[in-house]
């Protein structure tokens, strides 16, 4: 029986310099280079099987078979690999997200990076990590960065052939993140839709590419210096610049909720108590706190009375993709 199987784990990542806006929707080419930290605590594990016995593409996520629209996204992505391998077989994708539902984090980054790795292994394409990151990009922009561990830069590149992630720093030092979940509901405006609307209608957006490139350079210097205060200041400022572009879109919208603002104030309060704690926020209300990992438990303890200990999760930096022999047991 002709069957090809691949299994891969990929970790999620949180951007310190945000990707916000595409210059090509189809190829997912970003307006600006950006940079993230891969997190150890949150990941996807995905198995793909290509076989003559599989009648049509199917996709199971966390134990539930997914509907046509979800299968279609997967199929279109897997087609890129089928074309490369010149294989015409249908596939079955089984995936588990190890992102506690309470974390309310987007999983598209780890999901598409894990699927890219699984397809690479199954179809014996032997793609190097850079090529894999370019392909992961086609599923979701942030997936580009999840191929690698530590601090990762996604270079915007000049086209499909060089818009890819590169490892920047292994983050093998005292750094981490605390994720504060304020709302786990599916977001009303996806990042994809939100950034498109912003690019099209915010008069402030024209400032974004240039300012982002400058902040990225500064962030890279701050990481190299392992200067967490400097990194944090840039991360906070860049996150707010992103949220300012949505507030200036037409019609305006925002991902910030009342509780997000409270959390931001709480993070500033932590700094007054001597913690190195800095916030960032993505296309949702949850707040991620950059800090030395050694301070993460104390930060959780300090925030727990106001926000609830069950809504706070600490993570160390995480690794790049890992190929697996078998899909681990999941209950
Ligand atoms: C705010 O990667 O989810 O998290 O490429 O359309 O799938 P698509 O968008 P996605 O956008 C992430 C946006 C962000 C910032 C970031 O992760 O850099």
């Amino acid at each position: 029986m002709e069957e090809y199987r691949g299994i891969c784990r990929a970790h999620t990542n949180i951007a310190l310099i945000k990707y916000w806006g595409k210059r090509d929707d189809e190829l997912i080419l970003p307006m600006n280079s950006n940079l993230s930290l891969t997190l150890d605590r949150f990941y996807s594990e995905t198995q793909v099987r290509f076989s003559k016995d599989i009648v049509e593409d199917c996709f199971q996520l966390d134990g539930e078979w997914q509907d046509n629209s979800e299968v279609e996204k997967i199929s279109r992505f897997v087609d890129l690999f089928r074309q490369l391998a010149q294989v015409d077989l249908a596939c079955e994708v089984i995936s588990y997200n190890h992102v506690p539902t309470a974390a309310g984090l987007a999983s598209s980054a780890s999901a598409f990076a894990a699927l890219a790795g699984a397809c690479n292994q199954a179809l014996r394409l032997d793609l190097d990590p850079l090529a894999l990151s370019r392909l992961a990009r086609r599923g979701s922009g942030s997936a580009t960065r999840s191929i690698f561990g530590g601090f990762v830069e996604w270079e915007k590149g000049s086209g499909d052939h060089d818009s890819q992630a590169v490892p920047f720093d292994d983050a093998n030092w005292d750094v981490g993140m605390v994720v504060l979940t304020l709302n786990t509901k599916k977001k009303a405006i996806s990042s994809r839709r939100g950034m498109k609307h912003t690019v099209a209608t915010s008069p402030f957006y024209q400032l974004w590419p240039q300012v982002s490139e400058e902040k990225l350079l500064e962030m890279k210097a701050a990481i190299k210096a392992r200067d967490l205060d400097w990194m944090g200041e840039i991360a906070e400022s860049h996150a707010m610049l992103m949220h300012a572009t949505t507030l200036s879109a037409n019609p305006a919208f925002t991902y910030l909720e009342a509780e997000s603002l409270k959390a931001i104030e709480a993070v500033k309060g932590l700094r007054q108590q001597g913690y190195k704690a800095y916030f960032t926020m993505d296309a949702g209300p949850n707040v991620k706190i950059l800090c030395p990992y050694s301070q993460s438990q104390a930060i959780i303890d300090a925030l727990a009375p106001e926000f609830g200990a069950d809504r706070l999760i600490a993570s160390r930096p995480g690794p790049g993709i890992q190929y697996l022999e078998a899909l681990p047991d999941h209950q």
Side-chain angles (χ1 to χ4, degrees), residues 15 18-19 22 28 140-142 145 191-192 195 242 282-283:
K18 308 293 182 190
Y19 143 55
K22 299 177 178 64
I28 311 202
S140 183
S142 48
R145 301 180 304 233
S191 12
R192 187 156 299 189
M195 67 175 86
M242 178 192 126
D282 294 295

Side-chain angles (χ1 to χ4, degrees), residues 5-202:
R5 197 167 71 118
I7 308 163
C8 182
R9 176 190 298 140
H11 291 254
T12 193
N13 69 75
I14 301 294
L16 298 178
I17 295 294
K18 308 293 182 190
Y19 143 55
W20 194 243
K22 299 177 178 64
R23 58 187 207 274
D24 185 317
D25 286 347
E26 179 59 30
L27 292 171
I28 311 202
L29 299 175
M31 287 285 198
N32 61 291
S33 300
N34 47 81
L35 185 145
S36 61
L37 177 63
T38 300
L39 297 184
D40 187 48
R41 188 75 168 70
F42 313 107
Y43 54 95
S44 302
E45 285 171 339
T46 299
Q47 166 177 289
V48 63
R49 258 183 347 109
F50 295 87
S51 164
K52 276 195 179 129
D53 293 347
I54 300 170
V55 185
E56 56 179 6
D57 289 352
C58 52
F59 170 36
Q60 192 194 82
L61 178 62
D62 293 331
E64 301 208 358
W65 291 105
Q66 303 292 299
D67 64 20
N68 278 344
S69 74
E70 291 303 312
V71 172
E72 219 175 277
K73 284 186 213 160
I74 297 292
S75 291
R76 255 187 285 130
F77 182 69
V78 174
D79 280 346
L80 299 169
F81 294 85
R82 280 190 277 238
Q83 274 158 22
L84 278 176
Q86 309 249 302
V87 161
D88 196 19
L89 299 168
C91 69
E92 173 203 78
V93 174
I94 296 185
S95 186
Y96 292 92
N97 278 334
H98 292 256
V99 181
T101 8
L105 292 177
S107 50
S108 66
S110 54
F112 281 105
L115 182 55
C119 288
N120 184 32
Q121 191 187 43
L123 299 173
R124 289 150 212 167
L125 285 164
D126 216 12
L127 296 164
D128 64 44
L130 290 182
L132 212 49
S133 116
R134 294 193 293 272
L135 284 159
R137 195 195 74 227
R138 306 284 295 274
S140 183
S142 48
T144 314
R145 301 180 304 233
S146 271
I147 298 298
F148 298 104
F151 290 103
V152 179
E153 180 183 358
W154 172 9
E155 299 174 334
K156 70 179 178 134
S158 55
D160 180 40
H161 62 288
D162 64 351
S163 185
Q164 62 200 10
V166 287
F168 177 70
D169 179 285
D170 62 12
N172 196 5
W173 45 283
D174 189 13
V175 61
M177 271 194 194
V178 171
V179 175
L180 167 55
T181 306
L182 299 168
N183 186 339
T184 55
K185 283 203 299 277
K186 202 171 152 58
K187 52 198 173 196
I189 304 176
S190 66
S191 12
R192 187 156 299 189
R193 213 152 63 81
M195 67 175 86
K196 197 172 167 64
H197 176 65
T198 302
V199 175
T201 65
S202 167

